[in-house]
Amino acid sequence: MRSGLRCCYSGVNCGLSVNFTFDCEQEIDGRWIAEVPQLPGVLAYGSTSADAMAKAEILALRVIADRLESGESEPVSIRFSLPLPA
């Protein structure tokens, strides 16, 4: 079941914009899974959609930091946009 929850990370570098979105779904067993499709392997489970998205956000930031440290990516300004809880 799709929750419809999405948030974006936007980075601006030399006029280019990069957006990362979260997809969040509830599994049949009740757990929530959130993933960032633009960053392969960035997915996390949580007991709530907010928990899963928070864990996926942490993992996404770690992946971005690792890519910066290893020279795989250029530094960009990141702006956070998160959905407000209902």
Side-chain angles (χ1 to χ4, degrees), residues 61-80:
L61 291 171
R62 287 181 179 152
V63 167
I64 293 167
D66 185 56
R67 289 181 179 182
L68 288 169
E69 287 179 344
S70 66
E72 293 178 49
S73 296
E74 293 291 322
V76 295
S77 297
I78 298 176
R79 181 178 46 138
F80 298 96

Side-chain angles (χ1 to χ4, degrees), residues 5 24 26 30-34 44-54:
L5 299 175
C24 194
Q26 190 170 24
R31 296 181 301 168
W32 288 84
I33 184 168
Y45 283 97
S47 57
T48 65
S49 61
D51 184 37
M53 287 195 333

